[in-house]
Amino acid sequence: MDMFEKPDGKEEKDRSLAIMLLSAVAVLIVIGLIILVPYFRGPATRVEMATQGSPEFDSYVQYVKIGELDKRVGERMTNANYGRLRFTVENTGDKVLTGLELRSAVIGFNNEVLKQKTTMYIPNQRDSLDPNRSIRVELSLEPIPDESQIMDFKVEVVGLKVEQ
């Protein structure tokens, strides 16, 4: 036997160890990429929205229709209540919506807002909403009060941007 030759059993163990080490390194690289890629992408695109009182908003908001709310309430294992709203948003106007900001709210029995959340739906969830098209939207609110304290849920358009 030559001094550089290894016994067969040791060679197999070395090969297995090398494969395991390379696999572990590959897994660590993938995990690192999953964690780091969002940082390289930069912050989400922020679109300047027209809001209530501006000519763009006031002239077009009437063409953005919020459909009937499918309201669901549940409790997490952490004893925190949540609300989930499903509905459609329809653009009945003749312009493309390139920005849409929605406010969802939990309303109490004295018409007070118990919890609210503002969500930029376009462009964060999709790029635009063409004229005479609709989209399905699902929003969640949490934590919310016990269901016995809730009179209703509400969704309204608080910001929009139309393509010029």
Side-chain angles (χ1 to χ4, degrees), residues 147-161:
E147 198 170 355
S148 64
Q149 300 173 13
I150 298 171
M151 180 178 73
D152 204 3
F153 290 86
K154 179 177 160 183
V155 174
E156 62 184 347
V157 177
V158 293
L160 59 81
K161 178 139 186 83

Side-chain angles (χ1 to χ4, degrees), residues 117-150:
K117 179 180 176 182
T118 302
T119 305
M120 185 183 306
Y121 197 77
I122 299 172
N124 286 1
Q125 300 298 317
R126 54 183 298 126
D127 294 329
S128 63
L129 179 57
D130 292 333
N132 298 310
R133 295 284 195 190
S134 63
I135 53 175
R136 297 271 310 145
V137 176
E138 184 172 324
L139 300 175
S140 63
L141 289 155
E142 61 181 280
I144 62 171
D146 185 78
E147 198 170 355
S148 64
Q149 300 173 13
I150 298 171

Side-chain angles (χ1 to χ4, degrees), residues 50-59 61 158:
T51 58
Q52 188 173 12
S54 71
E56 182 180 8
F57 183 91
D58 293 342
S59 67
V61 72
V158 293

Side-chain angles (χ1 to χ4, degrees), residues 15-143:
R15 190 173 293 151
S16 294
L17 182 61
I19 290 171
M20 287 177 23
L21 286 173
L22 286 174
S23 298
V25 168
V27 168
L28 289 173
I29 289 172
V30 169
I31 291 171
L33 288 174
I34 289 170
I35 293 170
L36 293 177
V37 165
Y39 292 110
F40 293 123
R41 254 194 239 151
T45 305
R46 178 72 184 149
V47 173
E48 288 302 317
M49 301 281 181
T51 58
Q52 188 173 12
S54 71
E56 182 180 8
F57 183 91
D58 293 342
S59 67
Y60 204 79
V61 72
Q62 64 191 345
Y63 299 113
V64 182
K65 305 292 184 202
I66 305 289
E68 186 176 334
L69 300 181
D70 176 12
K71 310 163 200 169
R72 298 172 190 235
V73 176
E75 185 177 339
R76 300 242 183 257
M77 295 171 88
T78 60
N79 294 330
N81 294 323
Y82 67 89
R84 181 163 296 135
L85 304 173
R86 294 180 181 161
F87 54 95
T88 58
V89 174
E90 185 178 4
N91 178 3
T92 62
D94 60 356
K95 297 179 181 174
V96 175
L97 279 172
T98 58
L100 180 64
E101 195 166 28
L102 302 170
R103 179 182 303 132
S104 50
V106 179
I107 309 298
F109 285 99
N110 294 324
N111 284 324
E112 75 276 20
V113 175
L114 301 174
K115 174 78 175 182
Q116 71 178 354
K117 179 180 176 182
T118 302
T119 305
M120 185 183 306
Y121 197 77
I122 299 172
N124 286 1
Q125 300 298 317
R126 54 183 298 126
D127 294 329
S128 63
L129 179 57
D130 292 333
N132 298 310
R133 295 284 195 190
S134 63
I135 53 175
R136 297 271 310 145
V137 176
E138 184 172 324
L139 300 175
S140 63
L141 289 155
E142 61 181 280

